[in-house]
Amino acid sequence: QVQLVESGGGLVQPGGSLRLSCAASGSIFSVASMNWYRQAPGKQRELVADISTEGITEYADSVKGRFTISRDFDKNTISLQMKNLKPEDTAVYYCKALISGTSRIYYTYWGQGTQVTVSS
C-alpha cells in the first residue's frame, strides 16, 4: 500500500522558519505531481505549493517569496521550506501526491497532515 507521511510541523514565532517534509512509501511505480495544501480552522483547504514530475513549481500568492517547495526524486519526498512565517500561515499542512502502484493506475493520496502554528 502507498502511504504519504508528513513531518516537521510545530510552533514557531512570527518571522521564524520551519521545514516540512513528506515521504511517499510503499509499492510505488511512479510519482507524478506532489503538492502542499493547508487548511486553517473555518477555512477551505488551499493549495500552497505544487511541484510537477518535471520539477515545475507553483505557489499561492500569499506565500511567494517565503516558501520553497523541493523534491527528491530518488527518495520520493518533497519538502516545504517556510521562512518569515506569519500568524496567517497557521494551519494544518497536508501533502498530496498522484501516485501509481503496481496496478499502473494513478491515484490521489493524502498525508495525515502536520500542524503549523505561528504565534507569539
Side-chain angles (χ1 to χ4, degrees):
Q1 177 68 296
V2 175
Q3 183 176 238
L4 290 177
V5 179
E6 303 103 329
S7 63
L11 175 64
V12 64
Q13 293 185 333
S17 300
L18 210 57
R19 186 179 181 88
L20 307 182
S21 296
C22 172
S25 62
S27 300
I28 298 172
F29 176 77
S30 181
V31 179
S33 63
M34 299 185 75
N35 318 297
W36 283 104
Y37 283 75
R38 69 184 181 186
Q39 187 168 24
K43 290 187 174 182
Q44 293 183 322
R45 188 169 298 185
E46 64 174 343
L47 178 64
V48 175
D50 172 78
I51 185 165
S52 72
T53 186
E54 297 179 340
I56 301 172
T57 59
E58 298 289 341
Y59 299 92
D61 289 340
S62 60
V63 306
K64 286 182 179 178
R66 299 187 299 116
F67 290 12
T68 302
I69 186 172
S70 61
R71 178 171 175 174
D72 187 326
F73 289 88
D74 292 330
K75 297 181 179 179
N76 289 323
T77 62
I78 58 169
S79 297
L80 186 67
Q81 180 64 57
M82 305 182 293
K83 297 182 178 180
N84 191 25
L85 284 161
K86 304 175 180 180
E88 51 263 43
D89 294 319
T90 296
V92 176
Y93 285 71
Y94 296 91
C95 178
K96 178 186 177 183
L98 190 63
I99 302 171
S100 66
T102 56
S103 69
R104 307 297 195 270
I105 300 173
Y106 282 92
Y107 296 95
T108 297
Y109 292 87
W110 289 90
Q112 82 285 358
T114 185
Q115 177 71 48
V116 172
T117 302
V118 184
S119 178
S120 59

